[in-house]
Each structure stands twice: as C-alpha cells, then as structure tokens.
Amino acid sequence: MDEIIKKLQEDFKGDIDISDSTLSTYSHDASLFEVRPRVVVYPKDAEDIKTLVRWVNVHKEQDPTLSITARSAGTDMSGGAIGSSVIMDFTRYMNVIKEVTPDHAIVMPGCYYRDFDTATKKIGRYMPAFTASREINAVGGMIGNNSGGEKAIKYGKTEEYINALKVVLSDGNEYLIKPLTKSELESKISIAPGTDNAFEINLYLQLYKIITENYDEIMNAKPAVSKNSAGYYLWNVYDKATGTFDLCRLIVGSQGTLGIVTEINFRLVPTEPFSNILVVFMPSLDDVSKLVTEIIPFKPDSLETFDDKSMILAVRFFFDFFKQLGFWGAIKLGLQFIPEAWMTAVGGIPKLILMIEFTGQSEEEIKNKLTEVKDHIAHFGFHMHIAHSSGEADKYWRIRHESFNLLRKHVKNKRTAPFIDDIIVKPEYLPEFLPKVKALLDAYKLDYTVQGHLGNGNFHIIPLMDLNSPFSADIILELSAKVYSLVHEYHGSITAEHNDGIIRTPYLLQQFGPKIIELFQKTKNIFDPKNIFNPGKKVGGTFEDIRTAIKKKN
Ligand SMILES: Cc1cc2nc3c(=O)[nH]c(=O)nc-3n(C[C@H](O)[C@H](O)[C@H](O)COP(=O)(O)OP(=O)(O)OC[C@H]3O[C@@H](n4cnc5c(N)ncnc54)[C@H](O)[C@@H]3O)c2cc1C
C-alpha cells in the first residue's frame, strides 16, 4: 500500500481494499470499458465520505491523479462507475432504508432498488422511475444517471421523485440540498462571505449568475424530447415564473461529478393493484410511428418494444431464468414460451413486438381500456392480443428486461458494445428516423438487438462486436458521430437515461455546441474546482479516452 493511501487508513472507518481480485472486479461496469482503479473503499457513513474528500484535497497537489468515482451497484452502461483512482462503493454499508411513509422515503445510496421497492410496497407505495435493471441496480446510481424505465411516459424519470438530497461537496462538508423559494435563495446568498459556509454561498451565487445571465441560451439548449440524461440540466434548476431554485435538479444525472450523494429523500406514489398488457406483433417497422401516435392519447402506463432478435435470445437462453425463478417458476414461465419457441422454430417471428400496459384499481377497468385501444388500432391489421394471465404478461416483460443481460453473458468471441444504446427523438419522427439509423448500422454489417421505450421514442440499440479487432474503436467513434448527427437533425438527445460517462462525454459538444459546453465546464468548476469527482465524465472526456478504455479481451 502506498504512503498516500496509508494516510487515509488513519481516519477512515470503512474498508480499504487494494487486492488484485477487487481491483479487477471494479475495473468494469456494464459498459464496454475497462479501467483499473488504484484502490476501492467502502465507507461506513457520511463522515467517512467527508474524510475521503478532505484526504484527496490535502494530497491532490502532491498527486494530481487522485480522484473519487462514486459507485452504487456498478450497472452503468456508459463507463460512469469506473475510474483510475479511488472507487467508493456504497452497497456494503451505506444501504439503509431510514424511513418509509406514505408520501416519502429516506434511503442511503447503496440500497438496491429491489429492497427499497419491497419496503415501500409494504405500505402500498413505490418510486415509479425504476429501470429494466431494477433487480441489480441501487438507488444511488438512479440519482447518478437520472434513470428511468418503462413507466416514464406516465411518471417521468428519477428527477421527478426527489424531495431532497444530502450531498458531500468538494470542500469536504455535507449539505442538505432541496428546492428553495425565491426568499430562501435570497437569504442564502446574501450572507456575508467569509463565514463558515462561504463555499456554499459562493456556489449558489455563481450558479444563479450563470443561469440568469445565460437564461435564453440555456433554455434553448434543452433537448426537445420527453427524457434526457445528457449534460448538466442547467435548464431545470431555476423556474423564473415561481422563483424556485432547485439544485437537486442539477445533481441528479450528474454521474457523481458534482458531489457525492449520501442520502436521498424520495417522493413516493400509490401502487395500482392491477395491470395487464396488450401485445402487438408488427411484421415490419413501417407503421411504428403512426401506431404510437394513435396509442399515446389513451395514456398507457407503458409502451415498450423489443425486436425479433431479443425474442430469439430469450428462447435460446431460456435456462437462465431458472436461476432467477427457481425450478417451478421457470417451468411455469417455460409453458408460456411454447408459442415463441414454435415461432422461432418455423421462422415466423414478427419484426417488432409492442407491449401496451395499463394499470388500475380493478381487472375490469384495465380490460376495458385495453379493449378500447385494441379496437382503435385494429385497422392496422396486425396480430394482437390481450395477455390472458399475469404469467403471460410476465413472459413479455422478462424478454424486454433480460435480453441485454442474456446477450452480455452468452455471446462468444464478441461482446455487447453499448455506444449508441440510448438515443431518443420525438415519436413523431420515428418513421423517417428509424430507417436512416438502420441504414447506418447496416453499412457496417453489425449484428444488433433493439429494445426500447417506444412511447418516448427512446431506443436501446446494442451491437455485438469483436473488441480485439483493431477496427472496432474506429467503428465505434465513426458510427456514434453519424448516429448522433442524425439525432441532432431530429432535435433529439444522445442519451435518454443511460447518461454520458466515458462513451458519450466527447459527443456533448455535438449535442449542445461550444457555448453550452463552456457553461457545463463553469458549472463543474464551481462545484469541483480541483476536479476531484469522477474526472472525464460530463466534462473533459476525450475520444482518446474512449479508445484507451475499450476492453480488449473477451
Ligand atoms: C441489463 C441492464 C438494463 C438497464 N436498463 C436500464 C433502464 O431501463 N433505464 C436506465 O435508466 N438505466 C438502465 N440501465 C443502466 C443502469 O442500470 C442504471 O442507470 C442504474 O440506475 C444504475 O444504478 P447503479 O446502482 O448500478 O449505479 P452505478 O453504476 O453504480 O452508478 C451510476 C452512476 O451514478 C454515479 N453514482 C453512483 N452512486 C452515487 C452517489 N452516491 N453519489 C453520486 N453519484 C453516484 C456513478 O458515479 C455513476 O456515474 C441498465 C443496465 C443494465 C446492465
């Protein structure tokens, strides 16, 4: 252990690990990258995090490479949860649910969403911005990425469910961050400088200045889509009409680059006891947009999709579900898969499968809504049916949730390469946009799966690639630029929910232009002038970083 890390041991109560196996494990998240950290630490509490930040502050001049990358469950697909210096994992100790009431819950970042969900559902409440990775991700990462999932068309993303955050900032102190009224903001920034909280006063003052002085440019930079995770969300902080100034709206989605979240106060909503889906089998992508336009006015809870390749994967690697469901659970699910196995065998698989979900207070209510939609879209002539049991609905949800994981685990000689994995445009542009994206991908002869949150126009396209090939990095960089240029043309965003990380930070310039990038850099400097928190993500990342970090061995 080197001298600087030995110094940390003096005050840090949690665990410090530099073993080879730990460093190897933490060299990865769910991205296509590999970056080996110097040390992995497991804080016991917020005091430990303060100790760590102060320790970096003290030693940063002597060793400028020192930095901290926050990590909850490490399922990030952008490379946001890996870094070359200190990785700080919250799941070992900082995973406590402190309070659950009908309207809010207070929880530490390392709590797995599945445990949080179980606790809130005991009183008939939940936080609806859950992800397709909800069985494996933690709530800290949902804040870090501003995550969202299948309920986003009805409920929005994580940003909509934050009452308050506790955050350790780069001065090594913990702050309570919550929406401030106009007068609260005024009193906060009018305290004379030189007092104990000079750092906080300066932070609010400088941010208020940046936002108000560049208000129109900032508002115009907001991507014209229903979900966005790219950049710093300066456009969401200050509401001119009400005077509300909410820094939670900036910290959410900032991938641990502005501070370390130590506690989250989530707003909860009531659960709906019943749900069911209408499944639509589309032979081609041609009518996707028209179909979505006709479905959206019915206000479904979810409007999700997956392609033929995702379905084949689920059938081929069905045995994986045994681990998740146990023997009898998997057998029950297996019986549901007989029609799909048959379709796979005879090659009669539809190109795209749509799932339209409604929830409600009774089965009758949902059946009526589903039937109404079914009748309304019958003129398209697609095969469709209402799931006749929760088991059948579960089958479709499993394919939708698990296909990326199945692909990650089973493909030989190639790897899943998430780099254009999260594009979004308004659904009305899909008929023009999707064929153009397909043409770009086909020009590179890539094999890929597609799933998506169709209701938002958000697609997860995951190519398979041999990352040992000397051409892979070139393809990744070139194809990303082409796809993102198309996204730009259709006023979309390069990431709806997976965030920027290593893979997209250099493309933020293409998304937002130089003026907004300058404001992002200023924002970072205000929060983190020494670049302690997760460097190279959100600002400062380069194309060379992408090339260097691509994991070469399969
Ligand atoms: C199979 C699969 C499916 C997925 N589906 C979805 C989906 O439907 N929707 C979606 O949004 N995402 C999805 N993801 C991506 C990812 O799972 C989510 O973004 C998830 O919320 C990340 O949670 P985590 O706990 O794993 O975070 P991590 O990977 O640990 O971290 C994510 C980011 O947050 C930062 N962070 C973590 N903890 C803190 C903290 N305490 N303070 C400050 N910053 C912090 C990290 O530095 C990192 O930048 C999927 C991933 C996989 C592998």
Side-chain angles (χ1 to χ4, degrees):
M1 192 175 285
D2 62 51
E3 282 309 311
I4 292 182
I5 294 174
K6 272 192 192 148
K7 284 254 168 22
L8 175 64
Q9 263 185 330
E10 290 167 13
D11 299 314
F12 194 79
K13 301 186 295 283
D15 307 337
I16 300 176
D17 194 339
I18 52 162
S19 68
D20 188 50
S21 64
T22 299
L23 298 187
S24 295
T25 304
Y26 285 81
S27 303
H28 310 114
D29 48 15
S31 68
L32 50 80
F33 298 121
E34 179 170 66
V35 179
R36 195 174 167 85
R38 180 161 158 190
V39 56
V40 178
V41 301
Y42 305 85
K44 282 256 161 94
D45 52 26
E47 284 306 311
D48 262 356
I49 299 174
K50 286 156 71 175
T51 300
L52 187 73
V53 174
R54 287 172 186 170
W55 167 83
V56 176
N57 266 310
V58 168
H59 295 95
K60 186 86 176 158
E61 210 169 306
Q62 181 190 354
D63 182 350
T65 67
L66 274 185
S67 67
I68 303 167
T69 295
R71 176 163 170 131
S72 290
T75 65
D76 189 293
M77 292 171 69
S78 70
I82 49 178
S84 60
S85 186
V86 181
I87 299 283
M88 178 161 50
D89 181 330
F90 306 100
T91 54
R92 186 174 289 182
Y93 299 117
M94 293 189 64
N95 53 20
V96 179
I97 302 169
K98 292 185 156 180
E99 187 174 307
V100 180
T101 75
D103 70 344
H104 76 270
I106 299 179
V107 60
M108 289 184 178
C111 180
Y112 282 91
Y113 177 82
R114 57 176 188 253
D115 299 333
F116 181 64
D117 193 47
T118 306
T120 59
K121 281 191 175 150
K122 277 188 188 148
I123 58 159
R125 298 289 186 275
Y126 78 135
M127 201 287 277
F130 60 82
T131 62
S133 51
R134 66 181 169 182
E135 294 299 321
I136 52 174
N137 79 283
V139 295
M142 297 178 76
I143 297 288
N145 279 347
N146 189 15
S147 298
E150 66 215 31
K151 299 278 185 194
I153 42 167
K154 180 168 178 184
Y155 289 104
K157 299 206 300 167
T158 303
E159 60 193 350
E160 304 298 334
Y161 296 91
I162 305 169
N163 289 323
L165 296 171
K166 282 191 184 164
V167 185
V168 171
L169 296 178
S170 64
D171 66 338
N173 289 317
E174 187 181 34
Y175 295 92
L176 176 67
I177 311 259
K178 63 185 182 62
L180 299 179
T181 61
K182 194 165 185 281
S183 60
E184 282 170 335
L185 176 68
E186 277 164 5
S187 66
K188 197 176 264 297
I189 58 185
S190 62
I191 299 168
T195 53
D196 278 353
N197 45 0
F199 180 84
E200 189 191 16
I201 297 165
N202 181 59
L203 187 143
Y204 275 94
L205 203 55
Q206 294 303 323
L207 272 168
Y208 181 74
K209 260 182 89 175
I210 282 193
I211 293 171
T212 49
E213 284 173 6
N214 302 281
Y215 191 78
D216 291 342
E217 265 164 310
I218 287 173
M219 296 315 281
N220 287 336
K222 182 176 181 170
V225 282
S226 56
K227 300 191 301 184
N228 168 57
S229 270
Y232 289 132
Y233 320 144
L234 289 166
W235 39 83
N236 288 339
V237 177
Y238 179 49
D239 183 337
K240 242 186 184 174
T242 62
T244 308
F245 195 86
D246 186 359
L247 277 192
C248 297
R249 294 267 174 177
L250 188 63
I251 286 164
V252 65
S254 64
Q255 293 204 297
T257 60
L258 302 180
I260 307 291
V261 174
T262 53
E263 192 176 282
I264 306 145
N265 181 328
F266 275 122
R267 178 168 75 86
L268 303 176
V269 298
T271 52
E272 283 103 348
F274 297 98
S275 68
N276 200 3
I277 56 172
L278 170 66
V279 192
V280 183
F281 301 88
M282 297 185 68
S284 77
L285 302 182
D286 295 349
D287 286 320
V288 165
S289 160
K290 281 192 215 136
L291 190 61
V292 173
T293 317
E294 291 202 21
I295 295 167
I296 283 183
F298 289 90
K299 297 193 173 22
D301 281 56
S302 310
L303 177 44
E304 297 284 300
T305 189
F306 56 85
D307 68 351
D308 48 351
K309 290 179 188 139
S310 304
M311 187 155 114
I312 294 169
L313 263 173
V315 173
R316 268 183 66 198
F317 300 115
F318 173 77
F319 287 98
D320 272 46
F321 294 125
F322 276 82
K323 275 181 233 140
Q324 284 176 14
L325 300 172
F327 181 75
W328 289 114
I331 293 292
K332 252 169 85 180
L333 184 68
L335 294 174
Q336 298 290 347
F337 265 96
I338 290 172
E340 278 70 25
W342 175 248
M343 276 191 215
T344 308
V346 299
I349 303 169
K351 193 80 207 125
L352 211 61
I353 293 154
L354 257 68
M355 301 156 63
I356 306 158
E357 185 195 47
F358 286 96
T359 59
Q361 297 303 318
S362 74
E363 282 184 30
E364 192 64 19
E365 177 194 342
I366 297 160
K367 196 167 171 217
N368 290 341
K369 283 185 192 165
L370 291 170
T371 310
E372 209 185 334
V373 177
K374 189 173 176 226
D375 293 345
H376 185 76
I377 60 176
H379 66 93
F380 284 98
F382 300 138
H383 175 61
M384 52 187 168
H385 78 270
I386 296 171
H388 51 71
S389 66
S390 57
E392 195 198 357
D394 185 43
K395 169 182 68 179
Y396 291 106
W397 283 120
R398 291 223 173 247
I399 303 175
R400 169 68 189 84
H401 293 156
E402 291 301 322
S403 47
F404 172 56
N405 248 347
L406 291 174
L407 206 59
R408 280 209 301 159
K409 283 192 243 159
H410 290 288
V411 176
K412 298 264 167 0
N413 305 322
K414 286 190 177 177
R415 288 199 61 232
T416 47
F419 60 97
I420 41 165
D421 50 299
D422 196 27
I423 50 178
I424 178 168
V425 295
K426 274 189 179 164
E428 68 210 53
Y429 296 130
L430 291 178
E432 278 183 41
F433 177 76
L434 280 182
K436 288 184 183 172
V437 174
K438 187 174 177 309
L440 285 177
L441 280 153
D442 291 349
Y444 289 87
K445 299 196 176 2
L446 292 175
D447 213 5
Y448 57 91
T449 59
V450 179
Q451 303 109 39
H453 309 290
L454 193 57
N456 300 98
N458 173 205
F459 284 89
H460 302 317
I461 301 171
I462 314 277
L464 291 174
M465 295 179 82
D466 172 9
L467 297 178
N468 291 314
S469 154
F471 306 113
S472 288
D474 292 339
I475 294 175
I476 287 168
L477 294 177
E478 221 178 86
L479 186 54
S480 298
K482 287 181 184 170
V483 171
Y484 295 156
S485 153
L486 204 57
V487 167
H488 195 64
E489 202 181 304
Y490 287 93
H491 318 292
S493 168
I494 59 177
T495 172
E497 48 186 37
H498 294 173
N499 222 300
D500 300 316
I502 298 171
I503 194 71
R504 270 175 289 268
T505 292
Y507 295 97
L508 288 174
L509 180 62
Q510 197 177 348
Q511 169 84 40
F512 292 109
K515 172 71 191 180
I516 296 296
I517 294 297
E518 188 192 317
L519 297 181
F520 288 169
Q521 185 63 61
K522 282 187 176 162
T523 303
K524 169 75 173 175
N525 293 347
I526 292 168
F527 273 90
D528 183 19
K530 292 188 190 161
N531 205 13
I532 290 174
F533 297 132
N534 216 2
K537 327 286 162 53
K538 293 282 172 187
V539 294
T542 65
F543 295 113
E544 201 43 45
D545 292 342
I546 296 179
R547 282 185 187 280
T548 321
I550 287 177
K551 182 176 183 255
K552 298 291 180 318
K553 297 246 164 49
N554 290 311

